[in-house]
Amino acid sequence: MSSLKGAASAPFDPIYGAFTSPLSKNDGRLKIILVILWAILISALHGLIAAFGAFAGSLILITLSRWPLKNLIKRLYAVNFFMAFMWLMIPFSFSTPGEVIARLGPLAVTLEGVKLASLITLKANAIVISIIALLGTTPLHHLAAASREMHIPEKLVGVFLLAVRYFQVMHQEYLRLRRAMRARGFKFNLSSNALRGAANLVGSLVVRSFDRAERVHKAMLSRGYTGMVHVRSAFYLKPIDLVLALIILALAGLVGGLEWRL
Amino acid sequence: MAALIDITNLSFSYDPHRPIFESLDFVFHEGQKLGLVGKNGAGKSTLLQLIMGLIKSSSGAIEIFGQRRSTEAQFREARLQIGFVFQDANDQLFCPTVGDDIAFGPLNMGLSREEADKIVDETLALIGMESFKDRASYSLSDGEKKIVAIGTALAMRPKLLILDEPTTCLDEDACDRIAQVLLDCGLPYLIAAHDLSFLDRVAPDRARLIGGHIIYEPLASRPDRNHDRLRVVGKD
Ligand SMILES: Nc1ncnc2c1ncn2[C@@H]1O[C@H](COP(=O)(O)OP(=O)(O)O)[C@@H](O)[C@H]1O
Ligand SMILES: [Mg+2]
C-alpha cells in the first residue's frame, strides 16, 4: 500500500479539491463518514446555542483545513444568497407567529421568527463549512477510491473516475474554443449570428468529446483494457485519522451537550 | 534479422473515395530504431494504428512477432507486447494519478497489485520521475505528461515501442529527456515524426511514407536533414 505523501502537491484547485491541507492526508473513507455524522447531528439541532456551537465547531474544522478565506467566502455567498430569501419570509408574524419585537410598516417581526431564521442560517452554514473542510480537502479521485472501498459498484466508480479526469480536459477545450472565437471578434448576445456561434461551440465540444472518447478507448485497448479501471488503494488509518476523528467526536459531544442539557 | 512487423499488400481507407494505402508493404526488423517520416496527412498515424489493430484494414496481411494478426484476440495478444505512445498524452493518461496510470497496463496483464506497484517504482526510476507517483495526471506539464505516457508503455515490458509524434509541442528540454529515455530503454522502436533533428539523435534508420507507399532511405543518401522538402529519394 502506498501513502498519500505528495498527493496534494498540486496547486490549489477548487474543482478537484487537490490542495495542500493538513486534512488532505486523512483517510477519505473516514472523512466521508465523519462529515455524514456531523451533518446528521447538526440537522437534528433545535437550540440556537447548540446551533451556534456547531457553527463554531465547523469554523474550527475549516481553520484546521487552512482553506483559503477568499474562496470560502465566495462559496458561502452562494449559500447565503438563498438564506436571504428565507429572511424575507420567516421572521415575520405572517409565517411565524409569536412575541412581536419590532414593526416594519405593516409587518410585525416576531422573536420566534428571528430565532428560527437564525437557527436555519447557522445550521446551513455549519454543514456547508464542514463539507468544504472535510470533503473539499479530499481530491475527487480519493473520494472515488473511498467509494469503491465502501462497496459502490465498480462500473460506477470507473465512470466517475474518467468523468473527473476528462471534465478538466473538456473545460480546457471549451476555453480554447471560446478564446479562438473571441479572437475572431465573437461576442455573445441574442443576435442570430451569436446564437449560431454558440450552437457551433456546443456542437464542436460534443464532436470533440466523441473523438476524444474514441482516442482514450484506443489508448486503453493498447494497454490491454478489459473492462476494469484499477486504482491503487491508497487508504489505511493513520494516527492523524484518529486525531481528526477525536476532534470531531469531541466537538459533536460539546454540541450535543449544549442541545440536550442546556 | 527476424521481422517484428511485416506488412504486405495492405489497403486501407477511411472514405472509399480517398484510399490512404493501396497495397502498402512495410517491414520492421528486430533491434531497429526506425523513424517514420512523411508530410502531415501522409498516413503515419493511420499506419501505426493499423499495426496495433486499433483500426482494421480492408485487405492485406499484418504479421507481428512472426504471427498473422487479423482478429481482435490476435491483435490484443500482440498489443500487450507493444508499448504504444499516442500523440496526445492527455488521451493516454486517463487514471487519477501517475502511479495508477503506470500500473494500469501491468494490472491488465494479470499481475498482482504488489507486482504492479513494484513495476511502477522501477518505471518511475527509469524515466527519472520517482517523485511523481501520487501526483494527479492532469496537473503535469505537457513534457512531463509525455514522459509519463512513455513510462506507461514501458511498464508493460514490451518487446517494441511505437511512438506517434512524441515531440510535438514540446520544448527542447522535454525533447532531450525523451531522447534520453528512448536511448536508455534498450528496446527497438518505431517513431512517427516530422522533427528530423530529434529523429537524427534517436533513430538512425528512416522510412518515408509518401503517396501511400513506404520508401526506405539509406543513411548515406538521405536528403538534407534541415530541409524536409519534396525531394524524394528512390533507390539510388
Ligand atoms: N478518423 C478519420 N476519419 C477520416 N479521415 C481520417 C481520419 N483520421 C485521419 N484521416 C485522414 O487520413 C489521412 C492520414 O491521416 P494521418 O494518418 O493522421 O496522417 P499523419 O499522421 O501522417 O499526419 C489524412 O488525410 C486525414 O485527413
Ligand atoms: Mg499523425
Side-chain angles (χ1 to χ4, degrees):
Chain A
M1 293 231 176
S2 67
S3 76
L4 295 185
K5 211 174 348 125
S9 46
F12 175 60
D13 174 351
I15 299 175
Y16 288 84
F19 106 100
T20 318
S21 154
L23 299 191
S24 346
K25 295 190 196 76
N26 284 103
D27 189 302
R29 298 165 304 182
L30 180 78
K31 284 197 274 188
I32 293 177
I33 293 170
L34 286 175
V35 83
I36 290 173
L37 289 179
W38 183 244
I40 289 175
L41 172 71
I42 293 175
S43 50
L45 299 177
H46 294 290
L48 205 49
I49 298 173
F52 195 80
F55 182 71
S58 289
L59 285 182
I60 291 176
L61 293 178
I62 199 84
T63 311
L64 287 177
S65 81
R66 300 215 205 105
W67 192 270
L69 186 64
K70 249 199 182 142
N71 184 271
L72 179 69
I73 290 170
K74 208 166 101 193
R75 289 181 178 206
L76 290 181
Y77 183 80
V79 177
N80 288 292
F81 183 76
F82 291 101
M83 292 294 137
F85 285 103
M86 184 200 66
W87 278 94
L88 290 178
M89 306 282 295
I90 292 188
F92 300 102
S93 57
F94 61 80
S95 79
T96 322
E99 187 187 330
V100 177
I101 50 170
R103 282 183 186 281
L104 286 178
L107 299 173
V109 179
T110 66
L111 182 62
E112 282 74 10
V114 171
K115 274 187 177 169
L116 185 59
S118 312
L119 183 70
I120 295 172
T121 308
L122 280 172
K123 283 166 67 168
N125 279 286
I127 291 178
V128 169
I129 292 172
S130 68
I131 289 176
I132 293 174
L134 292 176
L135 299 191
T137 54
T138 313
L140 283 190
H141 61 268
H142 288 177
L143 288 184
S147 21
R148 168 175 292 155
E149 303 227 335
M150 294 164 93
H151 299 288
I152 289 167
E154 192 59 43
K155 284 238 163 69
L156 227 57
V157 178
V159 167
F160 178 68
L161 283 170
L162 287 178
V164 170
R165 174 67 184 83
Y166 287 100
F167 178 80
Q168 167 93 355
V169 174
M170 285 271 291
H171 185 64
Q172 278 167 356
E173 227 147 51
Y174 162 76
L175 292 179
R176 250 202 316 276
L177 285 174
R178 252 197 44 183
R179 233 176 285 132
M181 288 169 78
R182 283 246 222 43
R184 284 187 283 159
F186 179 79
K187 190 165 168 289
F188 187 74
N189 52 36
L190 288 179
S191 73
S192 71
N193 188 37
L195 287 178
R196 206 174 318 117
N200 285 341
L201 174 70
V202 174
S204 316
L205 270 179
V206 171
V207 171
R208 275 160 187 250
S209 60
F210 272 120
D211 276 356
R212 167 86 60 188
E214 202 173 311
R215 292 199 305 269
V216 171
H217 184 64
K218 283 178 180 172
M220 294 171 83
L221 285 179
S222 299
R223 287 196 276 147
Y225 173 70
T226 49
M228 165 146 177
V229 180
H230 312 264
V231 179
R232 289 165 312 127
S233 163
F235 298 119
Y236 57 99
L237 291 174
K238 304 169 284 298
I240 47 164
D241 291 322
L242 190 63
V243 173
L244 181 68
L246 284 178
I247 292 175
I248 292 178
L249 290 180
L251 288 172
L254 287 173
V255 169
L258 289 171
E259 171 76 11
W260 285 289
R261 288 230 190 89
L262 283 180
Chain B
M1 269 189 297
L4 293 181
I5 302 171
D6 192 350
I7 294 179
T8 41
N9 214 2
L10 182 80
S11 300
F12 178 80
S13 64
Y14 290 106
D15 162 5
H17 303 293
R18 278 191 320 126
I20 311 260
F21 305 127
E22 282 175 302
S23 72
L24 172 130
D25 295 325
F26 174 65
V27 188
F28 180 87
H29 294 288
E30 187 90 66
Q32 225 176 348
K33 297 172 191 293
L34 182 69
L36 179 65
V37 296
K39 284 191 282 192
N40 275 331
K44 302 182 292 293
S45 303
T46 305
L47 179 58
L48 299 187
Q49 294 190 49
L50 282 165
I51 292 172
M52 291 298 284
L54 295 172
I55 48 183
K56 300 278 162 36
S57 62
S58 43
S59 71
I62 299 179
E63 256 186 36
I64 299 170
F65 305 131
Q67 280 172 35
R68 183 68 198 276
R69 314 279 169 175
S70 54
T71 65
E72 174 64 20
Q74 290 166 343
F75 273 115
R76 185 173 134 62
E77 201 255 338
R79 264 179 224 145
L80 289 176
Q81 305 170 61
I82 303 177
F84 192 79
V85 180
F86 285 73
Q87 178 161 359
D88 186 346
N90 266 323
D91 294 338
Q92 192 152 8
L93 305 181
F94 42 77
C95 297
T97 67
V98 169
D100 292 326
D101 250 318
I102 293 181
F104 181 82
L107 288 172
N108 283 332
M109 294 167 78
L111 297 187
S112 71
R113 266 169 204 281
E114 288 69 37
E115 290 167 314
D117 226 33
K118 196 162 150 267
I119 290 186
V120 170
D121 291 335
E122 286 167 12
T123 307
L124 287 171
L126 187 70
I127 60 177
M129 303 201 49
E130 291 93 332
S131 60
F132 283 72
K133 185 170 174 177
D134 291 312
R135 279 280 295 274
S137 302
Y138 70 84
S139 71
L140 306 185
S141 76
D142 288 342
E144 289 162 349
K145 275 186 194 157
K146 191 49 136 204
I147 290 176
V148 171
I150 296 175
T152 66
L154 289 174
M156 300 186 66
R157 302 277 159 82
K159 289 186 184 161
L160 154 71
L161 280 183
I162 297 181
L163 301 95
D164 194 358
E165 307 273 3
T167 56
T168 26
C169 306
L170 297 186
D171 65 18
E172 248 172 78
D173 267 4
C175 291
D176 286 349
R177 289 184 63 188
I178 290 171
Q180 205 51 51
V181 168
L182 287 175
L183 292 171
D184 287 349
C185 75
L187 292 171
Y189 46 74
L190 170 61
I191 305 180
H194 50 235
D195 177 355
L196 291 188
S197 67
F198 175 76
L199 279 188
D200 279 343
R201 281 155 65 192
V202 298
D205 287 350
R206 199 64 45 88
R208 181 172 298 272
L209 193 50
I210 186 161
H213 291 280
I214 294 277
I215 294 166
Y216 299 96
E217 293 179 354
L219 206 58
S221 67
R222 201 174 292 157
D224 187 330
R225 275 139 209 221
N226 299 319
H227 304 284
D228 184 25
R229 294 274 179 263
L230 288 172
R231 208 174 132 195
V232 182
V233 177
K235 291 198 177 77
D236 345 22

